[in-house]
């Protein structure tokens, strides 16, 4: 095997590659349900659901899906927040032979219609608080809907529960209780490792949804890699707070612990106090988050008096983690903060930091069986030094964009006979083989001919003690073409001191300097967020244009 530069900092206790099993997604749950049948698979606000019970629910729903006439070649949507129903639906659809379509809980009707047409959607499984859009799809396209109540899986809560979770809402369509009631098992459909298994949508840089088609192989390989790298065992307790409908939460917070026979403590919606109490009461060991969750968590009072001693792994993904946030998390949990990197097109992480050799503001090294290179943004050829576009290849690459052959073709580049995915991220590799992302190719600000990478400036702005969040965008400027502007959310001390926008500009001039620092600052109550919790810089950029 070719020796890669990053093998010198590879964890000594891990192999360089993994032999991934040839199986379907649903088999990831069938195995632990037999091995750990009496063990808690899920903890849902105090309600403990054992692996055997979870698997029975999956078999019942799978049988019902087949009774409705759906199976191989059909596509079934899951439009839910984190819940037992999400996990049951995910594995049941797979076991029926159908394809899972991940649908964001925040979908508007126009986008939902697009997805329904694009996939020829056959059914949607949802919960009552999200029923409006699925039911509108039912009325427009006659798509059947299975609908449940989140509170059906809650008994005696022992951590804070969002009010909407406990709400007794009206349901329409097939009641969840009917779909999962005990019935003779109709068996399973074996699709094969390379069969279409899941479609996850990404808006990319154009805003037009693109369905990333994944196979059983690509989904499973990513989850197994997440388990082995984090040394996740059957005794682990994972905090399932990152959204399951997004590949980061799906791979790390749901599939990885299921594969390992671990327990998932589910939070339907992020709440910092609920997360802290879950860590304390359930003795959570593993937690993968996104930056807004960490901002919220670190903003809580009296954290030094809380018990985080059970934690064995903390990490982040989905968006670059500002250095100061990672450092504060390490101070709080007394373990390394491990950042990773991936895309919807790769079903999650392709890179991750070695815990013993972690670097902040670094996406890490290519994980098991992956390779990555830096290519010139002008010529598309590999470069040995300097900055360029990151390209990746590995076992979890998608097969292409649904119904978009041209986009699929343009997404890949051939290097020495090997197909690499163009990530659209600009970065570089250091002398140890660690990769760093500078920014999105499409997000770059061109200030008088100088390239400014906003994500880099975002992170530097957080060094100001009065700044809670910041998002840098380009704003049209008659002299420089584009000028650097920062939207800033202040902490309470800064608001109380009535600090001014110009004071922030003067601080940035001194601390960041050069052509990079924001010449314009605008205070804002909160930054817009995507459904996955990332800062939606596109909305702010469009506002400027």
């Amino acid at each position: 095997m070719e020796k890669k530069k990053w093998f010198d900092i590879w964890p000594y206790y891990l192999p360089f590659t993994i032999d991934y099993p040839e199986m379907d997604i649903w088999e990831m749950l069938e195995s632990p349900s037999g091995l750990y049948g009496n063990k808690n698979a899920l903890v849902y606000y105090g309600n403990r659901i054992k692996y055997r019970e979870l698997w029975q629910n999956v078999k019942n729903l799978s049988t019902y899906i087949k009774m409705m006439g759906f199976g191989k070649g059909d596509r079934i949507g899951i439009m839910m927040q984190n819940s037992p129903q999400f996990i049951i639906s995910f594995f049941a659809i797979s076991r029926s032979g159908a394809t899972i379509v991940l649908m964001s809980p925040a979908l508007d009707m126009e986008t939902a219609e697009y997805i329904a047409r694009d996939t020829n959607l056959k059914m949607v499984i949802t919960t009552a608080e999200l029923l409006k859009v699925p039911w509108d799809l039912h009325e427009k396209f006659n798509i059947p809907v299975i609908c449940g109540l989140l509170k059906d899986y809650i008994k005696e809560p022992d951590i804070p529960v969002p009010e909407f979770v406990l709400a007794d809402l009206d349901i329409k369509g097939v009641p969840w209780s009917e779909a999962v009631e005990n019935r003779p098992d109709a068996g399973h459909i074996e699709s094969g490792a390379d069969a279409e298994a899941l479609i996850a949508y990404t808006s990319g840089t154009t805003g037009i949804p693109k369905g990333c088609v994944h196979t059983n192989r690509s989904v499973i390989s990513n989850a197994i890699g997440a388990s082995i790298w984090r040394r996740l065992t059957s005794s682990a307790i994972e905090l399932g707070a990152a959204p399951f409908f997004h590949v980061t939460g799906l791979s790390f917070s749901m599939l990885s612990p299921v594969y390992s026979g671990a327990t998932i403590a589910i939070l339907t919606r992020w709440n910092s106090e609920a997360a802290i109490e879950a860590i304390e009461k359930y003795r959570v060991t593993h937690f993968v988050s996104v930056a807004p969750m960490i901002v919220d968590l670190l903003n809580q009072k009296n954290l030094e008096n809380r018990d985080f001693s059970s934690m064995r792994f903390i990490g982040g993904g989905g968006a670059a983690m500002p250095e100061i946030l990672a450092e504060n998390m390490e101070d709080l949990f007394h373990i390394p903060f491990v950042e990773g990197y991936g895309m919807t097109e790769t079903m999650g992480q392709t890179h991750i930091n070695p815990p013993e050799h972690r670097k902040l503001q670094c996406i890490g090294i290519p994980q098991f069986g992956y390779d990555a290179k830096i290519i010139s943004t002008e010529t598309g050829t590999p470069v040995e030094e300097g900055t360029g576009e990151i390209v990746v290849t590995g076992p979890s690459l998608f097969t292409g964009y649904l119904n978009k052959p041209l986009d699929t073709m343009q997404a890949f580049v051939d290097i020495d006979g090997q197909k690499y995915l163009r990530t659209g991220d600009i970065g570089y590799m250091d002398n140890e083989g660690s990769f760093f992302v500078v920014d999105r190719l499409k997000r770059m600000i061109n200030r008088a001919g100088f390239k400014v990478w906003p994500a880099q400036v975002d992170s530097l702005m957080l060094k100001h003690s009065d700044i809670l969040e910041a998002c840098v965008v380009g704003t049209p400027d008659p002299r420089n073409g584009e000028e650097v502007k920062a939207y800033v959310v202040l902490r309470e001390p800064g608001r109380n001191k009535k600090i001014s926008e110009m004071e922030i500009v003067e601080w940035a001039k001194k601390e960041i300097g050069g052509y990079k620092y924001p010449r314009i600052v605008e205070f804002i109550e909160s930054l817009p967020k995507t459904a996955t919790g990332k800062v939606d810089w596109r909305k702010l950029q469009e506002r400027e244009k």
Side-chain angles (χ1 to χ4, degrees):
M1 182 176 64
E2 178 190 356
K3 187 179 187 299
K4 303 293 185 181
K5 184 181 289 188
W6 50 84
F7 283 178
D8 289 338
I9 59 172
W10 192 271
Y12 68 89
Y13 47 83
L14 291 177
F16 294 125
T17 59
I18 297 172
D19 291 326
Y20 298 104
E22 303 261 337
M23 64 184 196
D24 292 352
I25 289 172
W26 58 268
E27 293 179 272
M28 296 179 72
L29 178 60
E30 183 187 44
S31 179
S33 71
L35 295 170
Y36 307 107
N38 287 321
K39 181 180 182 297
N40 292 328
L42 313 176
V43 181
Y44 191 48
Y45 297 102
N47 183 26
R48 288 154 173 82
I49 301 169
K50 300 190 181 301
Y51 267 101
R52 185 171 291 117
E53 180 186 352
L54 182 65
W55 180 239
Q56 186 60 52
N57 274 255
V58 168
K59 289 194 294 183
N60 291 341
L61 181 56
S62 170
T63 296
Y64 187 81
I65 290 170
K66 285 191 278 189
M67 285 170 53
M68 294 184 73
F70 302 130
K72 201 161 188 176
D74 295 320
R75 293 163 178 154
I76 298 175
I78 302 176
M79 188 171 176
M80 290 190 206
Q81 301 180 79
N82 291 12
S83 59
Q85 289 97 323
F86 186 108
I87 297 175
I88 293 163
S89 300
F90 188 90
F91 288 105
I93 294 170
S94 172
R95 191 171 184 267
S96 75
T99 297
I100 301 157
V101 179
L102 297 177
M103 302 174 70
S104 165
L107 277 184
D108 58 86
M109 186 56 189
E110 181 181 1
T111 308
E113 283 186 29
Y114 176 88
I115 290 173
R117 291 193 183 98
D118 197 37
T119 60
N120 190 22
L121 201 65
K122 297 299 184 183
M123 183 165 68
V124 179
I125 309 178
T126 190
T127 45
E129 83 284 1
L130 301 174
L131 181 59
K132 185 181 186 311
V133 168
W135 196 251
D136 286 346
L137 290 178
H138 166 75
E139 293 187 328
K140 185 158 189 173
F141 301 113
N142 198 30
I143 295 173
V145 173
I146 295 175
C147 182
L149 291 171
L150 291 170
K151 75 183 188 71
D152 288 346
Y153 284 89
I154 294 180
K155 293 180 180 177
E156 297 179 3
D158 60 2
I159 63 172
V161 185
E163 287 186 14
F164 74 87
V165 172
L166 297 173
D168 194 6
L169 304 172
D170 292 333
I171 63 173
K172 295 179 182 178
V174 178
W176 175 267
S177 57
E178 178 183 329
V180 297
E181 68 183 16
N182 286 326
R183 53 176 56 91
D185 182 23
H188 61 263
I189 301 294
E190 290 188 6
S191 300
D194 295 314
E196 175 187 293
L198 179 145
I199 300 173
Y201 275 82
T202 177
S203 58
T205 55
T206 63
I208 300 171
K210 290 188 285 190
C212 299
V213 180
H214 281 280
T215 63
N216 286 295
R217 187 189 304 278
S218 63
V219 174
I220 291 166
S221 62
N222 201 281
I224 293 175
S227 286
I228 295 175
W229 193 269
R230 298 188 297 154
R231 290 176 280 184
L232 198 71
T233 69
S234 57
S235 62
I237 313 290
E238 182 92 38
L239 185 62
F244 293 164
F245 73 87
H246 184 263
V247 292
T248 299
L250 183 70
S251 188
F252 275 93
S253 303
M254 190 185 111
L255 293 179
S256 169
V258 165
Y259 170 78
S260 300
T263 301
I264 309 171
I266 301 174
L267 296 185
T268 291
R269 185 173 292 173
W270 173 256
N271 174 279
S272 55
E273 179 56 32
I276 292 168
E277 290 191 30
I279 291 170
E280 292 178 320
K281 291 182 179 179
Y282 309 145
R283 307 301 294 162
V284 167
T285 59
H286 290 67
F287 173 34
V288 170
S289 60
V290 291
M293 290 181 183
I294 291 178
V295 170
D296 185 46
L297 179 65
L298 293 173
N299 210 32
Q300 300 309 301
K301 295 179 173 60
N302 301 317
L303 288 175
E304 67 277 3
N305 297 322
R306 308 307 289 262
D307 182 7
F308 301 119
S309 60
S310 62
M311 294 299 302
R312 293 295 175 267
F313 181 95
I314 53 170
M321 192 63 63
E323 184 173 348
I324 191 168
L325 295 184
E327 288 175 340
N328 289 342
M329 286 289 279
E330 292 188 340
D331 290 341
L332 184 64
F333 289 100
H334 304 296
I335 53 177
F337 185 89
V338 178
E339 189 164 358
Y341 167 87
M343 303 172 66
T344 307
E345 288 87 342
T346 61
M347 201 55 223
Q349 81 284 355
T350 59
H351 294 64
I352 193 165
N353 271 268
E356 299 82 3
H357 203 84
R358 74 95 181 96
K359 300 173 184 177
L360 298 182
Q361 287 283 279
C362 172
I363 64 173
I365 61 178
Q367 66 158 8
F368 309 105
Y370 290 77
D371 190 20
K373 297 181 185 296
I374 304 294
I375 65 170
S376 166
T377 54
E378 281 88 29
T379 66
T381 57
V383 295
E384 292 300 319
E385 295 181 357
T387 301
E389 183 179 3
I390 299 172
V391 296
V392 298
T393 189
S396 66
L397 254 60
F398 74 147
T399 61
Y401 296 114
L402 184 65
N403 302 324
K404 288 181 169 54
L406 180 59
D407 285 344
T408 298
M409 182 180 69
Q410 293 173 342
F412 293 99
V413 60
D414 186 278
I415 301 175
D416 297 329
Q418 176 68 51
K419 185 168 70 172
Y420 284 78
L421 174 69
R422 303 188 64 157
T423 67
D425 283 320
I426 300 300
Y428 64 92
M429 181 178 68
D430 70 11
N431 59 5
E432 291 186 309
S434 295
F435 283 75
F436 295 78
V437 171
V438 179
D439 217 320
R440 288 292 297 172
L441 182 60
K442 299 290 185 180
R443 195 185 171 193
M444 182 195 78
I445 299 170
N446 188 344
R447 184 183 185 276
F450 292 94
K451 294 178 180 179
V452 178
W453 303 107
Q456 187 180 56
V457 185
D458 289 347
S459 181
L460 294 172
M461 292 291 288
L462 294 182
K463 293 180 184 258
H464 192 295
S465 60
D466 289 316
I467 294 179
L468 180 65
E469 291 183 287
C471 182
V472 170
V473 297
T475 189
D477 182 78
R479 181 178 178 184
N480 296 311
E482 281 187 294
E483 192 53 270
V484 183
K485 176 176 179 176
Y487 283 93
V488 169
V489 179
L490 289 175
R491 296 183 185 275
E492 286 183 9
R495 293 178 182 180
N496 296 339
K497 288 186 291 186
K498 293 186 168 38
I499 190 170
S500 71
E501 280 121 334
M502 189 50 63
E503 285 178 80
I504 299 292
V505 171
E506 289 302 315
W507 173 87
K509 181 179 181 180
K510 179 182 176 183
E511 297 296 324
I512 300 173
Y515 56 87
K516 295 181 181 180
Y517 80 91
R519 267 69 171 179
I520 306 166
V521 168
E522 181 177 333
F523 292 153
I524 190 170
E525 283 297 312
S526 62
L527 298 179
K529 304 287 197 321
T530 67
T532 58
K534 299 179 188 177
V535 173
D536 194 345
W537 59 268
R538 291 183 183 87
K539 279 191 177 178
L540 296 175
Q541 186 66 77
E542 285 302 313
R543 177 171 162 178
E544 289 306 307
K545 288 181 178 178

